[in-house]
Amino acid sequence: AQRVTQPEKLLSVFKGAPVELKCNYSYSGSPELFWYVQYSRQRLQLLLRHISRESIKGFTADLNKGETSFHLKKPFAQEEDSAMYYCALINTGGFKTIFGAGTRLFVKA
Amino acid sequence: DTGVSQDPRHKITKRGQNVTFRCDPISEHNRLYWYRQTLGQGPEFLTYFQNEAQLEKSRLLSDRFSAERPKGSFSTLEIQRTEQGDSAMYLCASSIGTSADTQYFGPGTRLTVL
């Protein structure tokens, strides 16, 4: 079954500390992985996608096919990073997107 | 605002009533998606349109749910004979139409069924 698991509902870190939001997936093919973010009172938006291999707002994510993981990392968290983060996958060439339950990141001053 | 828009933003209805939601995608986007999101969960895929063609419908949807996208522009999602379990945020997203492209989300319609 296709599934995205985000084991942490809430992650709280201090400003300047490293942060890692975990994402594991279950999929038989070769999915494409994404991280979406929702800031307070804003709509859901794309943060980054693995195919782009880019760093957005200091965040990076590496696809580990062996461990079927796509963890989101940032070396130094900022208060403005506080938001809801969703990991998602879509089958290559497809359109059905499967989202994880989300992790709320709270960065304390 | 040239983003995805949804109307209404909030809907309160009584059990058994029918409701219809509208989504206006970004104008040049060919793909349109509907999701449902309940408290503490991520968005759940409901259905997908490529232009006016509905290409997939989730098994989550019962026969009470129907979606249309006439002329490949705006889309409507109708729920007939609403139940309390239908209470959720209904999200619409659109994308240009390339493989696994970025989806742009609307603000959502929050449905409360009393």
Side-chain angles (χ1 to χ4, degrees):
Chain A
Q2 302 170 12
R3 186 167 53 242
V4 175
T5 302
Q6 294 179 250
E8 303 134 332
K9 285 282 189 185
L10 173 67
L11 186 61
S12 183
V13 301
F14 283 102
K15 176 182 173 181
V19 62
E20 180 178 69
L21 287 82
K22 291 184 168 52
C23 172
N24 289 90
Y25 65 91
S26 172
Y27 187 74
S28 57
S30 297
E32 301 200 30
L33 277 295
F34 303 80
W35 278 98
Y36 279 82
V37 61
Q38 188 166 26
Y39 301 102
S40 178
R41 286 184 286 277
Q42 294 187 28
R43 57 187 70 186
L44 197 60
Q45 59 185 286
L46 179 71
L47 179 63
L48 56 79
R49 49 195 297 172
H50 91 270
I51 198 170
S52 301
R53 294 187 164 276
E54 58 197 346
S55 174
I56 302 294
K57 298 184 179 181
F59 284 97
T60 58
D62 291 320
L63 179 61
N64 186 323
K65 293 185 178 180
E67 295 182 357
T68 58
S69 68
F70 188 56
H71 303 327
L72 183 68
K73 300 177 184 179
K74 184 169 183 176
F76 308 103
Q78 304 299 313
E79 289 180 76
E80 55 265 29
D81 296 328
S82 295
M84 195 74 185
Y85 291 81
Y86 295 95
C87 182
L89 73 79
I90 189 168
N91 53 315
T92 304
F95 43 79
K96 180 178 178 178
T97 309
I98 298 170
F99 284 84
T103 297
R104 180 167 297 283
L105 175 64
F106 181 58
V107 181
K108 298 175 286 188
Chain B
D1 185 1
T2 56
V4 178
S5 62
Q6 293 186 244
D7 183 71
R9 296 290 304 276
H10 304 273
K11 179 70 176 178
I12 300 174
T13 191
K14 293 183 178 179
R15 189 176 53 187
Q17 298 295 305
N18 299 343
V19 294
T20 300
F21 309 141
R22 177 179 171 124
C23 171
D24 286 89
I26 295 172
S27 59
E28 64 268 24
H29 285 186
N30 296 322
R31 295 184 176 183
L32 188 146
Y33 311 76
W34 283 100
Y35 295 89
R36 179 174 65 187
Q37 187 174 22
T38 53
L39 194 63
Q41 299 298 318
E44 291 178 284
F45 174 84
L46 291 179
T47 192
Y48 157 77
F49 290 87
Q50 175 79 30
N51 298 311
E52 68 275 8
Q54 187 175 19
L55 297 186
E56 184 165 345
K57 185 175 176 180
S58 169
R59 289 173 295 173
L60 292 172
L61 291 187
S62 69
D63 292 341
R64 297 185 296 108
F65 287 71
S66 62
E68 295 182 343
R69 192 184 182 195
K71 304 178 182 178
S73 56
F74 71 92
S75 177
T76 58
L77 177 69
E78 181 183 15
I79 309 175
Q80 296 182 329
R81 305 181 304 281
T82 53
E83 301 173 355
Q84 288 186 325
D86 297 331
S87 295
M89 177 73 86
Y90 289 83
L91 296 169
C92 175
S94 69
S95 66
I96 289 176
T98 57
S99 176
D101 52 0
T102 300
Q103 293 179 42
Y104 294 84
F105 282 81
T109 295
R110 181 167 296 283
L111 172 67
T112 301
V113 181
L114 302 177

